[in-house]
Amino acid sequence: MSEKEGGIVKRGHEEGVKFAVSLLEEFDLPSGLLPLANVIEAGFVRSTGYMWILQQKKVEHQFKMISKLVSYDTNIHGYIQKKKIIKLKGVKAKELILWPPVNEIIVEDPPTGKIHFKSLAGVTKTFPVEAFAAGQ
């Protein structure tokens, strides 16, 4: 059985981006968290929270407010829940010369205006949520 079984699937860039942003908003995550380009497909399985995004090529995005370069692979997937994404794959944030994978993203609840990014190595970075607003 595939993790994608029973999922809602949107194909094409416009539909895929709209769908990904609507999921982020539904789960109280900043809508600019996933700056996507040339989306092929986006999907979500409501019963498990599994989400995926396929794009034509890797995207690197500079979040200006926090001077952070983030890389988004052609295949991004994980489990989305209220104010968090866990078991995330396909996202890396540049730290000096390394690109550690981001494994978890958590928005503080109750809201403090902070968002945490955890890597598999156990390193957590905290930033202001507004750094990931749409258009940043």
Side-chain angles (χ1 to χ4, degrees):
M1 184 177 130
S2 158
E3 286 177 300
K4 295 180 180 180
E5 201 170 293
I8 303 160
V9 179
K10 301 288 182 187
R11 297 192 197 290
H13 181 69
E14 210 169 295
E15 287 297 306
V17 168
K18 219 183 283 178
F19 186 58
V21 168
S22 74
L23 281 177
L24 291 172
E25 289 171 348
E26 178 184 341
F27 289 97
D28 292 335
L29 291 159
S31 57
L33 204 53
L34 300 171
L36 305 165
N38 303 315
V39 172
I40 299 163
E41 177 182 296
F44 175 59
V45 181
R46 192 160 293 280
S47 60
T48 61
Y50 183 74
M51 60 161 270
W52 70 93
I53 297 161
L54 304 175
Q55 42 184 7
Q56 279 170 2
K57 58 182 195 280
K58 202 168 108 171
V59 174
E60 285 189 359
H61 181 81
Q62 177 81 28
F63 287 96
K64 291 178 183 60
M65 188 190 270
I66 55 170
S67 303
K68 183 62 66 187
L69 188 63
V70 181
S71 161
Y72 298 85
D73 221 329
T74 53
N75 182 357
I76 301 163
H77 57 100
Y79 292 86
I80 191 166
Q81 303 169 358
K82 195 83 167 154
K83 296 190 179 283
K84 65 168 99 171
I85 301 174
I86 59 169
K87 296 184 182 169
L88 183 62
K89 300 268 185 280
V91 179
K92 294 177 180 165
K94 189 163 191 197
E95 283 300 325
L96 304 172
I97 57 168
L98 302 173
W99 285 89
V102 176
N103 187 41
E104 234 172 76
I105 300 173
I106 301 166
V107 174
E108 285 190 358
D109 191 19
T112 58
K114 299 282 183 223
I115 184 167
H116 306 282
F117 294 82
K118 291 184 182 175
S119 74
L120 285 169
V123 177
T124 300
K125 294 280 179 188
T126 302
F127 300 105
V129 171
E130 68 259 31
F132 302 94
Q136 279 297 325

